Amino acid sequence: MKLMSYFLLILILLLQLMIPRYAQCSLDSIMDTKIKEALTGLAKKISCTSIFSSGRLSSCPAGMVVTSCACGYGCGSWDIQGETTCHCQCSTIDWTTSRCCHPT
């Protein structure tokens, strides 16, 4: 009886070693690699710059679009007008910065 128990235990362990447990992980790894390659290619094709202006408006140069804005005096309320201009909405603003990007 003991011999049979040991035999079954060894058989179960051998079967577990033979089953490919990491097949899904290799597919995940391939997908992660493909996504990173795509994003790396994308990052190389975008050029960005910051435009600093006095007052509540900051506009991007021709051919560029606003991706984000920053406002002086800790103002966190802003909007983008016409895809090219940052507009800070607080009552007192001393500067506005727009982050402008374009494909290269």
Side-chain angles (χ1 to χ4, degrees):
M1 186 66 178
K2 259 187 177 181
L3 184 59
M4 185 63 127
S5 298
Y6 287 130
F7 176 74
L8 286 174
L9 182 63
I10 291 173
L11 182 64
I12 290 170
L13 290 173
L14 286 175
L15 285 174
Q16 285 183 345
L17 289 174
M18 293 172 57
I19 297 171
R21 293 179 291 181
Y22 300 105
Q24 183 64 32
C25 291
S26 63
L27 179 60
D28 289 343
S29 175
I30 291 169
M31 291 304 297
D32 284 345
T33 302
K34 293 293 184 185
I35 289 170
K36 286 177 185 175
E37 286 173 3
L39 291 176
T40 300
L42 240 176
K44 291 179 184 177
K45 297 177 183 176
I46 296 176
S47 177
C48 298
T49 188
S50 294
I51 305 296
F52 178 87
S53 300
S54 296
R56 65 180 63 250
L57 296 175
S58 178
S59 295
C60 292
M64 301 184 92
V65 295
V66 175
T67 57
S68 65
C69 305
C71 306
Y73 290 118
C75 175
S77 182
W78 52 266
D79 62 80
I80 297 173
Q81 299 177 343
E83 295 185 356
T84 59
T85 303
C86 283
H87 170 243
C88 291
Q89 299 174 348
C90 296
S91 60
T92 305
I93 296 295
D94 59 341
W95 58 265
T96 302
T97 298
S98 55
R99 186 71 176 162
C100 306
C101 299
H102 68 91
T104 57

